[in-house]
Amino acid sequence: MLNIVLVEPEIPNNTGNIGRLCVGTESRLHLIHPFGFQITDKNVKRSGLDYWVHLDWKEYQNIEEWIAVIPNQSRVFLMSSHAQKSYLENQFQDGDWLVFGKESVGLSQEILQKFPNHLKIPISPLVRSYNLANACAFVIGEAKRQLLK
């Protein structure tokens, strides 16, 4: 099982879509406060449709609370546009933690400094960033492809 981590997500539709993606890929979703929304049927669950009841998810009040549950910090991968290594060059393992930042600014320097493994998603210089749900889909898709070999 992959662990998908959203740090301070801001847009409920993205989180709902990522929740649906996690159900479909049998991944666990970890949400770290503060959120830019409340988890309600109207917000997040609407995007996840009726799949939200099947979602394996946990929420944490802050980064420290989340870090305390990670059994092997060497298997935590932070997505950053400033990383040198592409997620396509990484060898994923069952149980890995794939960490995505909030939509407006990504992951803070403080969080990036806590873990050494940073990965980027290749992108044209004409585009500033991908939608968070799409970025998650790219990385989860590649990790699952490797795990199912």
Side-chain angles (χ1 to χ4, degrees):
M1 173 181 286
L2 294 170
N3 292 284
I4 310 308
V5 181
L6 303 183
V7 178
E8 302 179 5
E10 298 169 315
I11 301 173
N13 289 353
N14 283 336
T15 301
N17 284 323
I18 294 164
R20 183 177 181 176
L21 179 63
C22 287
V23 171
T25 60
E26 300 177 323
S27 300
R28 180 174 291 135
L29 181 60
H30 302 264
L31 301 173
I32 302 173
H33 284 270
F35 306 155
F37 53 89
Q38 292 183 341
I39 296 179
T40 64
D41 285 335
K42 183 179 178 214
N43 290 334
V44 177
K45 295 177 188 177
R46 181 187 223 179
S47 299
L49 301 172
D50 54 347
Y51 303 107
W52 196 263
V53 296
H54 304 291
L55 179 61
D56 181 356
W57 69 289
K58 299 184 183 306
E59 62 183 300
Y60 307 89
Q61 294 307 307
N62 53 52
I63 289 291
E64 292 73 25
E65 185 180 328
W66 165 66
I67 289 173
V69 304
I70 302 169
N72 180 356
Q73 293 189 14
S74 72
R75 299 309 306 172
V76 175
F77 298 93
L78 307 179
M79 302 306 138
S80 170
S81 61
H82 304 292
Q84 298 301 309
K85 183 178 179 181
S86 167
Y87 78 100
L88 297 167
E89 302 170 292
N90 196 62
Q91 294 299 309
F92 294 103
Q93 297 177 13
D94 189 38
D96 280 353
W97 298 78
L98 310 177
V99 183
F100 299 84
K102 59 182 164 182
E103 291 90 341
S104 61
V105 296
L107 294 167
S108 70
Q109 283 301 318
E110 177 185 349
I111 295 169
L112 289 168
Q113 291 173 359
K114 292 184 183 293
F115 300 94
N117 297 322
H118 301 177
L119 301 173
K120 67 179 176 182
I121 299 171
I123 191 169
S124 162
L126 299 175
V127 178
R128 184 174 53 257
S129 64
Y130 289 114
N131 169 276
L132 182 61
N134 292 337
C136 286
F138 288 146
V139 181
I140 293 170
E142 174 60 16
K144 291 297 282 190
R145 183 192 68 79
Q146 290 180 20
L147 295 173
L148 296 174
K149 277 186 171 181

